[in-house]
C-alpha cells in the first residue's frame, strides 16, 4: 500500500505552509538505539510463542508511533505521559498476536483511509503532504515507510478487536440509555457563597516565633533544587529572515491557500483580512527562517560531536572558530527554563541529561532560534536562611492563616444556615441578615464540561460531586478553594428538556455504546494479559493502558 506513495502520490493533500517540523538526525533520536539495546535479549514468550528480536523491535517502534500519532509528541518529548516503553511494547505484542489468532485481516482500503485521517491531523503542524511527513517527521527518527504501514494495519486491527470483543458493551437497552441520559443532563439551579482569603489577610498577625516555626516546618517548600548552568550558542531566527523570504518564491500563493484554512480565532489582534494575511505571511517566513537556523545548528552540532575526547570547552573552541558568540545561562532547575531564553521545557530536560562524558546537547528549537549547549556548572541543592527569604515566608504564612480563617467563617455560616433552615427561614433571608451576597450560578448538569465561575477555584469534578450529592433545599459541605472557601446552596433540580432529549439521545446512546465497548475490550485484554504475558520480563503485568479507539489530533 504505502510502497506506492512515493511513486504515484495518489492521496496527497493540497499544499499548505511549506515549513515542516524537522526532527534531528537519527543519531540524536532514541529510535536509532533501539536495535542495539534489544538485540539478543531474552524477551520471553507470549502464550508459548517466542518473541524474536525483530518482533520486539517492530512493536517497540509501533508503540512510539502510536503515542506520537495520538498526542502529536514523541514519548521522550512528553514527560507527563507516563509512557513505559517496555510494558507497552509487550502489551502491543500481545494484541498483535491476538489479531493473528482471531484472523483479523486489514485490507488496503481500510488502512489507507485511517492513514489519511491520521496524517490530516498534522496539517496544523505545517506538514503539507504524506511525503513531507515521511521525509521530515519519520525518517529523522529512524522510521521507514514500512514501520508506518505496519503500525497502521495493527492500529486498524485493534479497532476490529474492539468491535468484536467489546460487542457485549453495545447491548444497551434504549430505556437504560434514556435513564442514564436523564441522570447526566438534568440541571441544578444553585447559588454560591464565597469566602475569599484576601478578605482576611490584613487581620493576620505574624509574631516572630510563629513565623520561625512556620519556616522550620516548611523547609522542604523553600529548598532550592539542584540547578545547572550551561554554555550555549544560539542561531538566531532573525539572522535568516532575508534568506527565508528569498527561498519562498511562491510565498503569496502559500499565504492565499492558508488564509482559506485559517481558524476564525487566528491572529485575533488583526482587524481586517489584509492584516491577517500580513500576520500569516510573517509567520510563514519566520518558520522557514527557523528551519534554516535549525539546519545551521545541526551542522554545528555534527562537528561538535566529532570532537574526541568530548569536553565542554569544545563548544567555545568551535564557536570561536565559527565566529559564533557563546553565552552562559542563568542557573535553572529541572522544572524551569533559564531567564532570558525563549525556550520550552525540552531545553531543561536536555540540559539535565548532560554528563561529563556526554556534555553536548542536540540542537534545541526555541521561539527565537536554535540552540546547542554544553554543560557548564552544577549547583547543588540548598535551603536559604529565613532572613534571606523573609518576605516570601511572611506572605506564605499570612496566606495560610487567611485560608484557615476563610474556611472557619464558611463553616460558621454553614452551621447558621442549617439552623435557620430548620427554623423555617430561607437561604436568601439569612444571607441578607448577614450582609452576604450570594452568586447565582449558571445551570449545570453532570455532563457540563465547563463552569468558569467555579472551575478556577475548585476542580469541576469535585464541585459537581458535592452539588449532585446534596438534596434540593440544602447546602453542600464547605469546599476549600484555591482562594479561600465556598458553600453551594442547591435551590432546585430542574425538569429535563424533553425536546432536547429527543434530539440528543441518539448521539448519546452511540457514544455510550462506544464507551461500554471500549470498557469491555479493556477487561478482556486485562484477562488475556494475566496469562499471555506472565512468561515475559514483565512477570505480573499491571492493568493494560487503554489502546486508543479513536485517532487523536496532533497538538
Amino acid at each position: 500500500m504505502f510502497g506506492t506513495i512515493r511513486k504515484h502520490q495518489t492521496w496527497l493533500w493540497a499544499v499548505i505552509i511549506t515549513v515542516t517540523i524537522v526532527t534531528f538526525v537519527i543519531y540524536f533520536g532514541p529510535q536509532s538505539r533501539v536495535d542495539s539495546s534489544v538485540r539478543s535479549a531474552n524477551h520471553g514468550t507470549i502464550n508459548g510463542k517466542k518473541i524474536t528480536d525483530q518482533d520486539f523491535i517492530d512493536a517497540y517502534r509501533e508503540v512510539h508511533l502510536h503515542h506520537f500519532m495520538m498526542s502529536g509528541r514523541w514519548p521522550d518529548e512528553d514527560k507527563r505521559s507516563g509512557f513505559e516503553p517496555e510494558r507497552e511494547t509487550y502489551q502491543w505484542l500481545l494484541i498483535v498476536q491476538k489479531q493473528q489468532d482471531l484472523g483479523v485481516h486489514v485490507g488496503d482500503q481500510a488502512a489507507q483511509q485511517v492513514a489519511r485521517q491520521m496524517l490530516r491531523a498534522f496539517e496544523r503542524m505545517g506538514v503539507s503532504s504524506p511525503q513531507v511527513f515521511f521525509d521530515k517527521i519519520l525518517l529523522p527518527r529512524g522510521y521507514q515507510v514500512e514501520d508506518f504501514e505496519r503500525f497502521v494495519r495493527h492500529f486498524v486491527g485493534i479497532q476490529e478487536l474492539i468491535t468484536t470483543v467489546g460487542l457485549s458493551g453495545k447491548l444497551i437497552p434504549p430505556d437504560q440509555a434514556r435513564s442514564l441520559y436523564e441522570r447526566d443532563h438534568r440541571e441544578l439551579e444553585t447559588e454560591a457563597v464565597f469566602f475569599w482569603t484576601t478578605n482576611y489577610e490584613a487581620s493576620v498577625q505574624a509574631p516572630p516565633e510563629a513565623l520561625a516555626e512556620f519556616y522550620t516546618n516548611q523547609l522542604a517548600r523553600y529548598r532550592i533544587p539542584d540547578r545547572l548552568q550551561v554554555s550555549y550558542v544560539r542561531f538566531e531566527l532573525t539572522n535568516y529572515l532575508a534568506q527565508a523570504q528569498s527561498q519562498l518564491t511562491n510565498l503569496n500563493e502559500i499565504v492565499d491557500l492558508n488564509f482559506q484554512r485559517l481558524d476564525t480565532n487566528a491572529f485575533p489582534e488583526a482587524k481586517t483580512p489584509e492584516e491577517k494575511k500580513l500576520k500569516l505571511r510573517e509567520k510563514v517566513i519566520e518558520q522557514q527562517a527557523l528551519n534554516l537556523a535549525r539546519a545551521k545548528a545541526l551542522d554545528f552540532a555534527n562537528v561538535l560531536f566529532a570532537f574526541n575526547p568530548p569536553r565542554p570547552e569544545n563548544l567555545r573552541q568551535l564557536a570561536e572558530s565559527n565566529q559564533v558568540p557563546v553565552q552562559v545561562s542563568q542557573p535553572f532547575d529541572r522544572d524551569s527554563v533559564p531567564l532570558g531564553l525563549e525556550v520550552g521545557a525540552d531545553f531543561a530536560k536536555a540540559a539535565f541529561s548532560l554528563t561529563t562524558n556526554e556534555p553536548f546537547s542536540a540542537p534545541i528549537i526555541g521561539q527565537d532560534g536554535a540552540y546547542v549547549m554544553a554543560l557548564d556548572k552544577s549547583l547543588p541543592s540548598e535551603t536559604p536562611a529565613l532572613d534571606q527569604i523573609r518576605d516570601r515566608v511572611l506572605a506564605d504564612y499570612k496566606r495560610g492563616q487567611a485560608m484557615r480563617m476563610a474556611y472557619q467563617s464558611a463553616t460558621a455560616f454553614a452551621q447558621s444556615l442549617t439552623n435557620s433552615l430548620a427554623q423555617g427561614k430561607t437561604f436568601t433571608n439569612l444571607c441578607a441578615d448577614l450582609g452576604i451576597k450570594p452568586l447565582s450560578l449558571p445551570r449545570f448538569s453532570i455532563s457540563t464540561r465547563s463552569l468558569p465561575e467555579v472551575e478556577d477555584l475548585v476542580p469541576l469534578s469535585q464541585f459537581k460531586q458535592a452539588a449532585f450529592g446534596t438534596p434540593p433545599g440544602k447546602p453542600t459541605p464547605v469546599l476549600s478553594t484555591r482562594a479561600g472557601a465556598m458553600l453551594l446552596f442547591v435551590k432546585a433540580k430542574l425538569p429535563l428538556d424533553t425536546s432536547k432529549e429527543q434530539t440528543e439521545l441518539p448521539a448519546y446512546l452511540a457514544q455510550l455504546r462506544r464507551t461500554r465497548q471500549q470498557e469491555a475490550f479493556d477487561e478482556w485484554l486485562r484477562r488475556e494479559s494475566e496469562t499471555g504475558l506472565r512468561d515475559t520480563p514483565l512477570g505480573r503485568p499491571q492493568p493494560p493502558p487503554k489502546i486508543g479507539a479513536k485517532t487523536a489530533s496532533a497538538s
Side-chain angles (χ1 to χ4, degrees):
M1 175 184 66
F2 294 98
T4 62
I5 288 177
R6 299 176 188 276
K7 183 177 180 180
H8 301 293
Q9 297 188 349
T10 57
W11 42 285
L12 297 181
W13 314 325
V15 176
I16 61 171
I17 296 177
T18 58
V19 183
T20 61
I21 293 180
V22 181
T23 315
F24 304 114
V25 291
I26 295 175
Y27 175 82
F28 296 123
Q31 297 303 321
S32 64
R33 297 188 291 272
V34 173
D35 294 20
S36 60
S37 65
V38 302
R39 187 70 62 189
S40 301
N42 181 11
H43 306 298
T45 63
I46 296 180
N47 292 320
K49 182 179 179 180
K50 179 178 174 59
I51 304 169
T52 67
D53 288 344
Q54 193 60 52
D55 290 337
F56 191 89
I57 291 170
D58 288 348
Y60 186 93
R61 291 168 177 263
E62 289 174 49
V63 296
H64 280 72
L65 275 171
H66 179 264
H67 187 282
F68 180 73
M69 299 306 297
M70 296 302 102
S71 69
R73 297 180 180 87
W74 296 105
D76 61 300
E77 301 169 341
D78 193 3
K79 64 181 180 181
R80 296 184 179 181
S81 67
F83 181 79
E84 300 177 36
E86 183 181 34
R87 178 176 63 83
E88 299 203 24
T89 297
Y90 282 107
Q91 192 72 63
W92 193 269
L93 284 164
L94 174 64
I95 294 172
V96 170
Q97 186 185 102
K98 286 299 176 183
Q99 291 180 36
Q100 297 169 350
D101 292 346
L102 296 175
V104 174
H105 174 73
V106 178
D108 287 354
Q109 184 175 0
Q112 286 180 352
Q113 182 178 359
V114 171
R116 291 190 191 101
Q117 292 172 351
M118 287 181 173
L119 298 185
R120 192 173 295 120
F122 287 84
E123 287 185 5
R124 73 188 66 176
M125 296 171 63
V127 178
S128 59
S129 70
Q131 188 73 55
V132 169
F133 180 79
F134 291 128
D135 290 346
K136 302 300 186 182
I137 300 271
L138 295 188
L139 291 180
R141 280 271 173 171
Y143 292 102
Q144 303 299 319
V145 172
E146 292 76 12
D147 293 320
F148 186 70
E149 176 183 6
R150 190 177 60 252
F151 157 70
V152 171
R153 289 188 184 277
H154 288 154
F155 180 87
V156 178
I158 290 172
Q159 315 316 307
E160 294 290 339
L161 282 179
I162 292 174
T163 300
T164 303
V165 177
L167 182 62
S168 61
K170 297 183 68 174
L171 305 178
I172 302 174
D175 288 345
Q176 182 184 1
R178 187 173 292 106
S179 176
L180 292 172
Y181 177 90
E182 179 177 348
R183 180 203 66 184
D184 290 348
H185 291 81
R186 283 202 54 183
E187 296 180 327
L188 293 183
E189 185 176 359
T190 62
E191 289 186 285
V193 177
F194 298 95
F195 297 84
W196 304 104
T197 299
T198 51
N199 293 336
Y200 300 90
E201 287 183 351
S203 60
V204 174
Q205 300 298 314
E209 60 275 11
L211 191 64
E213 182 180 3
F214 175 81
Y215 166 77
T216 300
N217 293 337
Q218 300 290 327
L219 284 178
R221 176 192 294 190
Y222 302 112
R223 188 169 186 82
I224 300 174
D226 293 335
R227 291 154 295 155
L228 288 181
Q229 285 185 276
V230 296
S231 56
Y232 64 90
V233 294
R234 175 173 54 203
F235 296 85
E236 296 189 27
L237 175 153
T238 54
N239 293 337
Y240 302 94
L241 290 174
Q243 182 182 354
Q245 186 167 352
S246 67
Q247 289 182 351
L248 294 170
T249 55
N250 59 339
L251 180 58
N252 291 334
E253 179 183 354
I254 294 171
V255 172
D256 289 339
L257 286 171
N258 281 273
F259 181 74
Q260 305 302 322
R261 300 171 179 265
L262 274 183
D263 186 286
T264 55
N265 295 321
F267 307 118
E269 70 278 12
K271 305 304 181 184
T272 66
E274 289 71 23
E275 290 180 356
K276 284 185 179 288
K277 282 190 175 183
L278 182 60
K279 293 290 184 182
L280 178 58
R281 179 187 180 90
E282 292 172 353
K283 189 66 175 178
V284 172
I285 294 173
E286 286 177 0
Q287 290 185 355
Q288 181 68 1
L290 191 59
N291 270 357
L292 295 172
R294 178 191 292 113
K296 289 293 185 181
L298 187 56
D299 290 341
F300 182 91
N302 284 332
V303 176
L304 181 63
F305 271 80
F307 277 81
N308 189 22
R311 296 190 181 95
E313 55 268 26
N314 295 152
L315 182 137
R316 184 174 296 276
Q317 177 184 344
L318 179 61
E320 290 176 352
S321 67
N322 284 269
Q323 298 184 331
V324 178
V326 179
Q327 301 180 65
V328 178
S329 73
Q330 293 292 319
F332 61 98
D333 60 45
R334 294 178 182 272
D335 298 319
S336 64
V337 297
L339 292 176
L341 300 190
E342 297 182 35
V343 294
D346 55 338
F347 188 94
K349 181 178 180 179
F352 275 86
S353 68
L354 301 179
T355 66
T356 53
N357 292 329
E358 296 185 6
F360 311 124
S361 76
I364 303 295
I365 307 306
Q367 298 178 28
D368 58 349
Y371 294 76
V372 178
M373 61 177 156
L375 185 63
D376 183 78
K377 184 187 301 181
S378 296
L379 303 173
S381 175
E382 62 176 304
T383 303
L386 174 58
D387 286 343
Q388 293 177 272
I389 55 171
R390 183 174 295 274
D391 290 344
R392 177 185 170 191
V393 176
L394 179 60
D396 291 344
Y397 175 81
K398 285 190 171 184
R399 191 178 303 110
Q401 292 299 307
M403 185 77 72
R404 181 179 60 84
M405 294 166 68
Y407 189 87
Q408 289 173 344
S409 296
T411 302
F413 174 80
Q415 186 61 54
S416 297
L417 178 58
T418 300
N419 295 339
S420 297
L421 293 174
Q423 297 169 9
K425 296 182 180 180
T426 67
F427 171 76
T428 302
N429 289 339
L430 179 62
C431 289
D433 292 343
L434 296 177
I436 294 175
K437 187 176 180 179
L439 173 67
S440 294
L441 296 178
R443 297 173 177 181
F444 61 92
S445 68
I446 292 177
S447 63
T448 297
R449 295 291 177 262
S450 178
L451 196 62
E453 290 79 0
V454 300
E455 60 187 301
D456 289 338
L457 301 172
V458 63
L460 187 58
S461 58
Q462 180 185 350
F463 172 83
K464 290 193 290 186
Q465 182 179 10
F468 285 94
T470 301
K474 300 291 184 181
T476 65
V478 175
L479 299 175
S480 294
T481 74
R482 298 180 180 94
M486 69 173 292
L487 178 141
L488 190 69
F489 181 73
V490 181
K491 297 177 64 176
K493 196 169 190 177
L494 303 173
L496 196 65
D497 185 337
T498 54
S499 61
K500 186 177 180 182
E501 177 186 9
Q502 291 177 355
T503 301
E504 295 181 350
L505 188 58
Y508 177 82
L509 176 58
Q511 179 59 46
L512 185 62
R513 284 173 172 167
R514 285 193 294 270
T515 300
R516 294 284 182 87
Q517 191 176 34
Q518 178 75 48
E519 291 172 350
F521 173 78
D522 290 340
E523 176 58 24
W524 170 82
L525 191 54
R526 184 191 64 79
R527 295 193 304 268
E528 292 293 330
S529 298
E530 288 178 352
T531 56
L533 298 181
R534 64 187 177 189
D535 294 325
T536 68
L538 294 188
R540 297 180 179 178
Q542 298 296 316
K546 291 184 177 180
I547 303 296
K550 61 181 180 179
T551 301
S553 63
S555 53

